[in-house]
Structure formats: structure tokens, C-alpha cells
Amino acid sequence: MADPLILVHGGAGSIPAASQHAHSHGCQEAAEVGGAVLAAGGSAVEAACAAVEVLESNPIYNAGVGCALTREGRVSLDAAVMDGHSRHAAGLAALDAFPHPIQIAKMMLEEPEVLLVGHPASEWAVRRGFRRVPEDELTTEAARKQWHLVVDEGADPNFAGGTVGAVVRDGRGQLAAATSTGGTMGKKPGRVGDSPLIGAGTYADDVCAVSATGHGEAFMRAVFGVRVADAIRYGQDPATTLQRKLERTRDLFGGLGGAVMLTHDSGPHSFWTTPGMSHGWWTPEGSGCGI
Ligand code: ASP
């Protein structure tokens, strides 16, 4: 059986030179936290969610604290996790201000529903004991500045960058994928991206786990995640598949982005069609990062 492995991303885009070190090392730190969960015998789902939680706590990324804001300057969060072994999946979309949407998604894996949205989703989370916080607690000065550039000055929102995700293979060879984001900066209230949609931005089964980042509308129309997984299941080479599906998303659907991926017996695999994508990995032999 292949060794345990964790690979995380901190979003695709143009990462300014001044923050590249922090961006990539933040990913390595998250991968190491996920790795510690695996080393202690934790499952792929537990490790993926632990890694994403670290990234949600880091204001440099567009998830949890530091998230992108809607056109009205409000917080609206998307997150999902999929357990490749059981094929259970949970997505939350247009969620209120919760510091760790991925924890809510993890708890939702026990429910029969796959996707909860908006106010009822937030109410469900509160009933299950999660703490909703004032939106200011998740809104950084940098996010507010970027919002102003997009909403008031007409800067191209494209996609915000800084969405976070993790893919994991645990000690039993089981896979999981998790993704969390504030979505695109200045998005229409109610807009949902690819991240919480199983098969688009987040997907895992017994062969492949994938977490995407980029222009969500294109990734949704391309039905990105499950196409990667199925191509590999039916015999395509994993690294070539990831590259081709990202190029397809760009060429046929007009969206740039990137993804992290691993299979039951290969990886880490990452590719991006943007100038960069911060990422970090952990194996029992060591950890590293790149951009
Ligand atoms: N894919 C995310 C979305 O469209 C944004 C991103 O990855 O930066 O919501």
C-alpha cells in the first residue's frame, strides 16, 4: 500500500512576491498539522479537515478569517468535504460568518443531505453547537481594501485567490478531499462557487481525491473534479490528466485555476494555469512547499 500523504493548496492566482513566502509556508504548516493527525492514526477526513482549519485561521488566505466579501461587503462562505472511502460528502454554501466552515462540513458528513445553503444551513450549524461570529471578526483590512478596489473602482474581480483545500491518503490507503473559501471578491449575494459542489471543486472516491481553486463558474461548467477522477479510474495517467483537465477548463470554459490531487497509489500531483498556486505537502519522510 502507498504511504500516507497530505497535499494542501492556498489558492491559485498571482501571488504578490512579498507574500509568496508566507503563502507557501502557511501551506506547509497546514500539511504538517494534517500529517500529525495521520501519524497519530487519524483518518483521511480528520487530517484533511485539520489542515484546512489551519488555513482558515490564517488571514492571508481567502477562507475563514480574511475571506473575500460579497458586493455588499458581507461574509458568505462555501466549504465541502468528501470521504473517498464511504463516498459520503457534505457541502455548505452561502454560510454566515463561522470561523471554521470545514468543521461544520465534517459534522454534516453524518447527515443524509449533501448540500445545505444560506440561512437554514447557518441555523443548522448553530443548533449543532457552532459559534457564529460578528462578520467583522473574519474581515481583515486587506480584504476590505481589495473589496474597495473591486466594488468601488471596478478592478477585475476574476477570482479572489487564496481559496484553501487539502487532499489526503491515510494509513489505510483511504482518501479524502476538503475545500473552504470566501468565494470571489465582490460576488453577487447568493453566489455559490465550485468549492462546496461535490464533483466540481471538491471530490474524492477510492481512486482519487481532488481540491480545486480558480474561476469557480468555469470549474462548475467543466464539472472539473469528477472528470479528473473518472479519467484516472479508466486508465489515464494521473499527472497528465490533471494538466489536461485544467487546460480544458481554461480552453473550453474560459477559467484559470489550479488543483491538488492524489490517487490511491500516486501523488502528490499539482498543476495550475495561473502564474502560481501556493501548496504544501507532508509525508512520513518530511514536508515541503512551493508556489
Ligand atoms: N473557486 C473559488 C470560487 O469560485 C475561488 C478561488 O478558488 O479563489 O468561489
Side-chain angles (χ1 to χ4, degrees), residues 9-13 62 68 76 78 157-164 179-185 187 191-196 201 212-220 256-258:
H9 70 77
N62 170 19
S76 178
D78 294 344
N158 194 7
F159 57 90
T163 287
V164 306
T179 313
S180 181
T181 186
T184 48
M185 186 58 87
K187 65 188 178 182
R191 182 262 186 191
V192 172
D194 59 315
S195 309
T213 165
H215 190 250
E217 279 68 17
F219 281 75
M220 285 187 268
L256 300 178

Side-chain angles (χ1 to χ4, degrees), residues 75-218:
V75 167
S76 178
L77 304 170
D78 294 344
V81 59
M82 185 158 184
D83 178 345
H85 179 64
S86 66
R87 258 74 103 196
H88 289 179
L92 293 147
L95 199 65
D96 293 347
F98 290 89
H100 293 294
I102 205 66
Q103 287 177 344
I104 306 172
K106 185 169 158 230
M107 179 173 278
M108 210 186 118
L109 282 174
E110 295 158 18
E111 302 291 317
E113 293 80 13
V114 171
L115 183 63
L116 291 181
V117 304
H119 189 64
S122 300
E123 290 301 307
W124 178 80
V126 168
R127 280 198 303 278
R128 297 305 295 260
F130 291 95
R131 191 174 62 95
R132 184 168 27 200
V133 298
E135 295 190 6
D136 280 356
E137 275 190 35
L138 301 187
T139 309
T140 59
E141 209 180 304
R144 190 59 78 190
K145 215 162 137 192
Q146 183 65 20
W147 175 84
H148 172 70
L149 285 176
V150 169
V151 172
D152 297 331
E153 312 218 330
D156 179 5
N158 194 7
F159 57 90
T163 287
V164 306
V167 289
V168 178
R169 180 173 64 229
D170 67 21
R172 291 168 288 277
Q174 297 175 359
L175 310 180
T179 313
S180 181
T181 186
T184 48
M185 186 58 87
K187 65 188 178 182
K188 207 175 261 177
R191 182 262 186 191
V192 172
D194 59 315
S195 309
L197 301 187
I198 300 305
T202 306
Y203 185 76
D205 59 25
D206 55 326
V207 171
C208 174
V210 57
S211 169
T213 165
H215 190 250
E217 279 68 17

